[in-house]
C-alpha cells in the first residue's frame, strides 16, 4: 500500500525537506507539488538537490490541485492553511508546517500573531507525554515550531521530574534556513557569513508562548520562559542552551536518570554519554535530537543543551513522523537517526 | 543475503562516509570497524552522526580483525593498503579508498608519490568507457581520487567526441574534508572560514597524472592536464571548472548532444538543463555529479563545470558503487541521487 | 587641507567600504551620504560597523545634495552615473564604482550591457603600464570591476614579458559581497553557505571584455579571454587562477623576474616568496594583491594565482587610491597593505 | 616619541592581532618578535596578512631577546609569563594576554587552572568602575579573557544599578579563533563549518570565575554566574546573551538609562538604538562593544546582548588600550571603533 502525498509550498525549505524525506519513504507516492509565485516552474530549477523530481512542474496551490490525496503537507506562509484545510475535508490528512494551529489559547495567539485565532490542531510532538496517542489516526496535525521542539525536548525531562524550578531560560542558536527562502537583505550570505546576531529578544519571538505551552504539559502550574534566538553562520541546525534554577538538592546522577527515563524508549531522543556535548553537525538531515545535561552546583542551575536539524526533526521530519502516526504506520518509517557529517 | 563489510579507518572522513552509506544499504551487515591511533574508542565519540553505531568500539587495523568479511573497505593513509590486501586473500573483496593502486604507470607513481609502485587494481570509475565490465566481480578495486573523478567526468564526453583539443585546464574548488581529519594548522576553522586559497599549483598535485590517465582512456594520443586545486570555505563538495580549446567548429548543440549521449544511461551523471549551472549544495550526501557545458566562441574554448560531493561519489559513494558491481548487485543499491540542501 | 568627499550609494557594499576607508583618511572630511530607497534612514541602522557615522541620515541621491564637494564617489546601479556626473561639472572629481565608463569600445559595451554607451573615463587601474599618469589630476575616473582588477594584475606581467601566448583562461572564486546588497534568493545565506557554484560561464559575464581590454594594453595584438566566475562561501575576497600556454622556453626564474620587475615599485602588488600561495584571508580589508606564479612544463602552461579583497582594492580601495592621484596626494594615503586575519 | 614594543608569541592569533594594531599605532616602533616552535621562520609565512612585517624573522622567546623594550606584550601559553615578567624588571611594561595573573583569589585559581597561583596584576578592563586609574602608569597588566570582557560589560550596568538580581546567566557564542592556532581535530574547518556546539558547560570553563570576579566589583555581595560557551562557524567574534531576574519593577527606560549612564563617556562601549540588535560582523577588527538590552516582563528577566571581536577588544585591542594607559598616552591611540563588514 502506498499513500499519495501532496506538498504545498514545494519550492520553499520546509517543502523541499519534506520531499527529500518522502522520496526515501517506502510507502509514499509523491502527488501534487504546488507553489505560490513559483507555480509553473520546474522543481529542478528551484530544488536542484531533488534530482528524481527535477522535471516535475509546480502547480498553483489550490484546493482542486490538492484534493484526492491521502495526505497533504502544507509549507505555506502563516494564515493560508485554514481555508485549504477546511475545503479539503476529513478524507485527507492535513499536516501544517505553519504556525496557524499550534497555540491553544486564542488570546495568546492574537497577541503574538495578530488577527483571529483559527483554532488548534493536535500538536505534532509525539515525545510530549500523552501526545503520541492524540496523533495516531489524527486527520489534522500542527507541526511544532523548530525552536519549540528542541527547547521543549531539551529541558522537559528535568522539569517533569521536578529537578528545576519552572523558570526557564533558553538561548538558541539557529542556522539561516529557519528564516525561510524569501529574499531579505539581513539574510544574505554577505550578512550572515562570519556573523552572529540576536533578534526577537525579550520574549517577543512568536515561539516563546509555544515553548511555554509545551512545558506547561509537563509541569503543574505556571512556567515562565525567557527565550533568545540567535542567528549563526550555518544553513541548518539549532543548538539550544536551556537552563533553570535547581529545585533542591540535585545531582548529575539524578539528572541523567531523569533524561534516561524520559528518552529511553524514544526513537529520536538521545542523551549523549557523559563528557560529550551536542553539535548540530551530528544531526544534519536526521530526525534525531542529541542532548546533554550538566548540574552547576555553584550557580545553582541545571544546564541542558540540545542539537537538532531545524528543517528535519524541526519541521519536515516531524511532519513525516506525524504522518506515519496518522496513517497507522510505524512511526519511524522513512526517517533516520544518521546525520550527514562533516 | 547480506554481505559482511568491514571498514578500516572508520574514524576518518572516508571511513565515516562509507559507514553512513553502508547503514542505508539493505544488503550489508557492518562488520569490524578499525582505526589507527583511535583504536579502543567508541565510534560515537568520533563520529557522533552515526548514531546506530555509537556504541561500537574501534579495533586495531590488523589482518586478523579484517579477515572473514565479504568486503573490506580501506580508508587508510597511503602506503598501508598493499600488505593488508595481500594478507587478506582473494576470498575477500578489498576496496581501497587510498591512492596506492590507482596509477598504472610505475614511473609516474614514483615521481608523484615517491617509493615503489605497489601495482594497480581495477579502477573504480564505472562511467569510464569499458570500465564497468572490469569492476563486475572484481576482487580488488582502487577507488579514484576525488578531484580526478569530477574532473574526468566533467570533460570526458567533450574530449571523447573530439570537440576539444587534448589540452585540458582544470581549476577545482574543494571543501576541506578532502584533506582529511588529521589536525594541521592550515586546515583549522579559523584558517579556512572566510578564506579561499590555492595549493599544489603547477602540476605538482598528485591527482594530476590520475586525471591524465583517465582522459587518456577516451582519447587516442597524449593528453596534457593543467590542474589547480583550490580550498574554499565549506566542509564538503568540489566544483570543477574544466576547459579546453575547441577542435574546429563546435556549437553548444553539438556539445550538449555529446554529453547527453555519454550520460544518458548513467545513473549518477546528470547534464543540467540549459541555463542552470552546477552547485555543490545540490549534490551533498548524494552520489550524483551535476554538469553543465558552455561553448565560448569568442575565446575558442569549451568550458564545462561539474559539482560532486568529494566524500560521497568522490570517495565512499564510489566505493559502495564499486562494491555493488563486485558483488554482482544492482549498481545503485544503497546510493542516492538526492542531495541535502540547503 | 581636507577635501570634502560625498558618497552616493552609501547604504550599499561599495559605499560602505568607501566610507570605512575615508574615515581612516587623514585628508578627507566626509560630506553628503546618499541612498536610493534607504534615503531618510540612519546610516547606523544599515552599516552598523561604521560607528562614527551611525547618526548620519542618508539623503536622496540628487545633484543638489552632491554638489559642492571636492570629490563624489558613486556606488550606484549601472546607468545612473552619467547624468549625475554631467550635472556636477568639472569642479568636482567624480569617481564611479559602477561599470558605465569602463569600456572604451561602444559596440562591446552595447553587446554586454545593452543600451547606449555613455563613453569612457580614465580607467582607475594605476598599475597598468602608462595608466598612473592618466589618473593624476583626472576629474573623472572609472573604477575597474573587481574581477578585471585581480585577473589583469595576476597575469599582466607574464603576458607583457612575452612569456605566455595571448590566450588567457581565468577561473575566479569570489565571495558574495561582489553581488551587492540587493536581496536575491540565490544570494541568501542558506543558499551560499556550504555551497560553491558557477555562473556567467562561457564568456557572457560582463567583466570578460574588460579583462581583455586591460590585457590588450600590455600585448600587441588580440588577446582572448575565457573567464569563469565562481561563487564560494565567504563574504569578501576573490581568488583568481589565471593561466595561459607558455610562449617558448620559460623557466620559473624567468617568470619570477618578470613579476618582480613589474611589481617591484608598486605599493600594492606583492609577489609571494616561492612556495607560498595566495589566500584571500591575508588581504581582507587591505589594498594589497598577493600573487604567486608557477610554470608547469608538463602541461606547457604558466599558472598564476592572485588574491584580492573585492570591496577594497577591487572597488573602494581603488576609488580611494585613484582619488589620491586625482587630488595630487601621495597615492597610498589612507590605504593599507595589512589584512584582517584570521 | 616612539615606544619600542616587543611581541612574544607573534605567530599566534593574539600576537598577530597585536601586531596588526601596533602597525597602525603612531607612537610605536615594533621591536622583537618571538615564537616557540616557529622561531626561525619568516613572519610572512605564518601571518601573511601582516605584509609590512613579512620579512621579519621570529626569534626565540627569551629574556635576552625581550629585554630593552618599553613594552612587551605576551601572547604565550598559560604558565610561561611569570618567569619572563620577573626577569624583565620594572623598567619594561609587561602586558600579559594569558590567564596567569587575572584572578585575585589563589584558591579559585588553583581550582580552575591547577598548580600554584602566580599572583595577580592590575586587570586590564578600564571600563570596570575604578579600574582605569589602576592601569594608568601600571608596569604589569593582565589582559582579561575574551568571554569575561564581553560578558561583564554586557550586564554590569544593569547589575550595578540594582536592576537585576545577582544571579547571572551567560550563553556566549564564539568564533573559533578564541581557541587559538594549535591544531586540534575538533577545531578543523571540516568540524567547525556548518556546526554549532557547546563545550565547558556547567560552570567548568575557566572564564566562569573571572566573570564572577568582575561582577563582584559592581555589586555588594555574592554574584552567581552560570556560563555556557558555544562554538559557532566563524573565525572571529563573540555574541554574549546575558540575563538575570529583575530586581523589582524595572522598565526598559530604566534599563536604557542605566546603560547610557555607564557607557556615556566610554569610547568603546556603545548602546545601540532601540530596535537594533548587536551583530558580531559590525565589530570585527574594531575595539567597540555593541550592546542592546530588553526587559521581559512576562519572564521577569532583563536580557542584554553584547557583540565584540574576541581578538581585538577581547584580547589584543585591550592590550593596546591598556598599553596606552600605562604609557600615559591617550587611551584610544591606534584603536578604532570601525568594523570590517560585510
Amino acid at each position: 500500500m502506498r499513500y499519495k502525498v501532496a506538498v504545498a509550498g514545494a519550492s520553499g525549505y520546509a517543502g523541499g525537506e519534506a520531499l527529500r524525506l518522502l522520496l526515501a519513504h517506502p510507502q509514499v507516492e509523491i502527488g501534487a507539488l504546488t507553489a505560490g509565485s513559483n507555480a509553473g516552474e520546474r522543481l529542478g530549477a528551484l530544488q536542484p538537490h531533488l534530482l528524481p523530481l527535477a522535471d516535475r512542474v509546480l502547480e498553483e496551490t489550490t484546493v482542486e490541485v490538492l484534493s484526492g490525496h491521502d495526505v497533504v503537507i502544507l509549507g505555506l506562509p502563516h494564515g493560508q492553511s485554514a481555508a485549504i484545510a477546511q475545503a479539503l475535508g476529513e478524507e485527507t490528512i492535513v499536516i501544517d508546517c505553519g504556525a496557524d494551529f499550534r497555540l491553544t489559547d486564542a488570546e495568546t495567539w492574537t497577541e503574538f500573531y495578530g488577527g483571529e485565532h483559527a483554532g488548534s490542531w493536535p500538536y505534532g510532538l509525539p515525545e510530549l507525554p500523552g501526545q503520541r496517542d492524540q496523533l495516531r489516526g489524527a486527520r489534522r496535525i500542527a507541526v511544532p515550531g523548530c525552536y519549540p521542539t528542541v527547547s521543549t525536548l531539551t529541558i522537559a525531562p528535568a522539569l517533569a521530574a521536578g529537578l528545576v524550578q519552572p523558570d526557564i531560560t533558553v538561548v538558541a542558536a539557529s542556522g539561516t534556513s529557519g528564516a525561510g527562502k524569501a529574499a531579505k537583505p539581513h539574510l544574505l550570505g554577505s550578512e550572515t557569513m562570519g556573523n552572529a546576531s540576536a533578534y526577537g529578544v525579550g520574549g517577543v519571538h512568536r515561539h516563546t508562548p509555544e515553548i511555554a505551552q509545551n512545558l506547561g504539559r509537563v509541569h503543574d502550574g505556571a512556567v515562565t520562559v525567557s527565550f533568545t534566538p540567535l542567528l549563526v553562520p550555518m544553513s541548518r541546525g539549532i543548538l539550544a542552551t536551556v537552563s533553570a534554577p535547581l529545585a533542591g538538592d540535585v545531582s548529575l546522577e539524578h539528572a541523567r536518570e531523569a533524561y534516561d527515563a524520559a528518552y529511553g524508549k524514544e526513537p529520536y531522543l538521545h542523551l549523549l554519554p557523559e563528557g560529550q556535548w551536542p553539535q548540530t553537525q551530528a544531526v544534519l538531515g536526521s530526525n534525531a535530537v542529541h542532548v546533554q545535561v550538566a548540574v552547576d552546583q555553584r550557580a545553582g542551575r541545571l544546564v541542558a543543551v540540545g542539537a537538532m536539524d531545524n528543517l528535519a526533526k524541526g519541521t519536515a521530519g516531524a511532519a513525516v513522523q506525524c504522518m506515519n502516526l496518522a496513517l497507522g504506520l510505524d512511526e519511524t518509517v522513512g526517517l533516520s537517526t544518521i546525520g550527514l557529517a562533516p
Side-chain angles (χ1 to χ4, degrees), chain A residues 88-211:
Chain A
L88 283 173
E90 290 288 313
E91 67 277 12
T92 298
I93 295 170
V94 181
I95 299 176
D96 185 14
C97 295
D100 295 12
F101 298 97
R102 289 174 191 160
L103 296 183
T104 57
D105 185 68
E107 202 175 316
T108 303
W109 204 88
T110 301
E111 181 182 349
F112 279 85
Y113 288 91
E116 209 178 331
H117 189 217
S120 71
W121 288 353
Y123 187 75
L125 193 57
E127 294 87 355
L128 265 187
Q131 192 62 18
R132 187 167 271 117
D133 288 341
Q134 292 193 26
L135 296 166
R136 287 208 178 89
R139 311 304 295 172
R140 296 290 180 272
I141 296 174
V143 174
C146 51
Y147 285 122
T149 294
V150 65
S151 303
T152 301
L153 297 174
T154 298
I155 197 67
L159 184 63
L163 306 183
V164 295
Q165 298 170 31
D167 181 13
I168 311 295
T169 296
V170 180
V171 179
S174 174
T176 53
S177 60
K181 209 173 180 173
K184 298 172 189 165
H186 75 285
L187 296 175
L188 285 172
S190 303
E191 302 290 315
T192 51
M193 289 189 276
N195 198 11
S197 58
Y199 69 103
V201 184
V204 300
H205 193 285
R206 291 166 165 181
H207 284 175
T208 311
E210 191 179 337
I211 301 170

Side-chain angles (χ1 to χ4, degrees), chain A residues 22 74 78 99 109 126 157 166 176 179 183 250 272 301 303 332:
Chain A
L22 293 172
L74 302 176
H78 297 319
W109 204 88
T176 53
V250 175
L272 291 166
R301 292 184 83 86
V303 184
T332 64

Side-chain angles (χ1 to χ4, degrees), chain A residues 275-299:
Chain A
Q276 193 176 346
W277 285 88
Q279 48 180 292
T280 58
Q281 208 187 48
V283 297
L284 294 189
S286 112
N287 214 49
V289 181
H290 291 192
V291 176
Q292 184 55 287
V293 62
V295 174
D296 182 346
Q297 301 293 359
R298 197 183 317 247

Side-chain angles (χ1 to χ4, degrees), chain A residues 127 132 263 265-270 286-290 313 321 324 330-337:
Chain A
E127 294 87 355
R132 187 167 271 117
Y263 288 1
K265 295 183 179 165
E266 286 297 338
Y268 298 117
L269 307 188
H270 179 66
S286 112
N287 214 49
V289 181
H290 291 192
K313 174 60 176 164
Q321 188 180 354
N324 287 340
D330 182 301
E331 188 176 336
T332 64
V333 182
L335 295 170
S336 166
T337 59

Side-chain angles (χ1 to χ4, degrees), chain A residues 213-234:
Chain A
Q213 174 178 296
N214 292 346
L215 294 178
R217 298 278 298 275
V218 301
H219 176 80
D220 282 334
V223 178
T224 65
V225 172
S226 165
F227 171 53
T228 305
L230 312 178
L231 205 60
V232 298
M234 56 194 195

